[in-house]
Amino acid sequence: MPKIFEYFGFIFYFYSNEHEPIHVHVIHGNKESIFDLIMMNGELVGINVRNKKGVEALGEKDRLTAEAFIKKYHKNIIEKWIKFFVLKQRIRCTNIRKKL
């Protein structure tokens, strides 16, 4: 379960046996949601939010914060996805300490 970002209490991570589409799990407190990155011609055109079975979903404010973060850092998320799942390389967690 590689952790890819920490952002003011939000944890962004992949499961080590993930599948497409490119997506990221986001935990804040004891709540979690899954965010699918919808890409077209190499550009982010949308984000689809899903609930994880058996876990309470992020509240609206936290979901909006996570979405804003993903929009800003989607290229980094995709790079980490490719590095980990395609190139089979280790990835490091990045701690973002600057508010969006």
Side-chain angles (χ1 to χ4, degrees), residues 8 18 25 27-28 31 38 43 51 54-55 58 62 67-68 74 81-82 88-90 93 95-96 100:
F8 295 96
E18 291 287 27
H25 295 254
I27 296 174
H28 190 250
K31 298 178 182 178
I38 311 303
E43 296 296 321
N51 296 336
V55 180
L58 294 176
D62 289 344
E67 282 186 35
H74 73 276
W81 179 280
I82 291 168
K88 307 296 184 198
Q89 297 175 353
R90 297 187 84 186
C93 178
N95 192 342
I96 305 295
L100 298 175

Side-chain angles (χ1 to χ4, degrees), residues 23-51:
H23 61 280
V24 63
H25 295 254
V26 181
I27 296 174
H28 190 250
N30 61 346
K31 298 178 182 178
E32 179 176 357
S33 293
I34 304 166
F35 296 79
D36 297 326
L37 282 68
I38 311 303
M39 306 295 294
M40 186 178 293
N41 298 321
E43 296 296 321
L44 181 69
V45 295
I47 297 172
N48 181 44
V49 183
R50 298 183 282 135
N51 296 336

Side-chain angles (χ1 to χ4, degrees), residues 10-26:
F10 288 84
I11 306 296
F12 296 77
Y13 71 97
F14 303 137
Y15 276 107
S16 58
N17 61 342
E18 291 287 27
H19 52 82
E20 291 190 30
I22 294 174
H23 61 280
V24 63
H25 295 254
V26 181

